[in-house]
Amino acid sequence: VIDTWLMSCRVLNRRVEELVLNLLVGIARQRKLHRVIGTYSPTEKNGIVSDLYSRLGFRFQSESSDGTHWSLELSSFSASNVPIKLTLSPDIELDESAGGIA
């Protein structure tokens, strides 16, 4: 479950969100999970990301008083080939399918 997805508006639509999802999926797969779940809770300032989960391939699950709920099945996820590289500290190991992670 994605507890909080917080990003600067300066990096949105520069494919950083795809890189972050690649990283999250890599961690989830390493933990032998089958899906990632996220909730979009609308506020005055976050309308710019109201479609983030759908753009990233999540499927709409439900709507409640706290927002919309989304699910991404890891078996059907293919990492995006993003033109960004992220190097993690050596003690963090990820599934090899985490595209863009060095």
Side-chain angles (χ1 to χ4, degrees), residues 36-55:
V36 176
I37 297 176
T39 297
Y40 169 70
S41 301
T43 68
E44 268 184 42
K45 296 183 178 184
N46 73 359
I48 190 171
V49 293
S50 63
D51 66 341
L52 177 68
Y53 286 123
S54 64
R55 282 191 297 117

Side-chain angles (χ1 to χ4, degrees), residues 1-3 35-39 53 58 61 69-72:
V1 173
I2 299 170
D3 177 71
R35 74 183 57 84
V36 176
I37 297 176
T39 297
Y53 286 123
F58 284 69
Q61 296 298 303
H69 307 278
W70 300 83
S71 177
L72 178 69

Side-chain angles (χ1 to χ4, degrees), residues 24 41 48 64 67 71 79 84 91-92 97:
L24 290 174
S41 301
I48 190 171
S64 67
S71 177
I84 306 166
D91 59 326
I92 298 175
S97 64

